[in-house]
Amino acid sequence: MAEKVNDEKMIPIDEVMEIVEKRTGWRPELRTVRGWEKAGKIIGTKVGGRVFVRPSSVEQMLDGKESA
């Protein structure tokens, strides 16, 4: 299940681990990804008790840029 915010498909926070692993070869733990979201390194939104993340913010973080 994915949500949309500002025409960008949001992904469940647990899918961030797969994106990071594909790009870097390292698979972070879910608690690490949640920490990134709380610290503002990636953009997340809580919907119905679940956290969804903007994939573009994950890509920006991995590229060494701050989230917009």
Side-chain angles (χ1 to χ4, degrees), residues 3-68:
E3 297 291 326
K4 282 186 131 183
V5 173
N6 297 331
D7 292 334
E8 182 177 4
K9 180 181 168 187
M10 303 283 281
I11 60 169
I13 195 166
D14 57 346
E15 290 183 19
V16 172
M17 297 178 296
E18 295 169 22
I19 293 172
V20 174
E21 185 174 26
K22 285 179 184 175
R23 286 272 310 265
T24 68
W26 169 68
R27 185 175 182 90
E29 293 186 18
L30 182 57
R31 67 180 177 196
T32 300
V33 176
R34 289 186 189 279
W36 293 339
E37 191 268 331
K38 286 183 182 182
K41 293 182 179 184
I42 58 176
I43 298 171
T45 303
K46 198 169 194 176
V47 179
R50 294 186 66 197
V51 177
F52 292 86
V53 175
R54 288 187 184 177
S56 63
S57 70
V58 177
E59 296 295 335
Q60 288 176 349
M61 181 192 71
L62 293 174
D63 289 340
K65 300 173 187 168
E66 291 187 19
S67 294

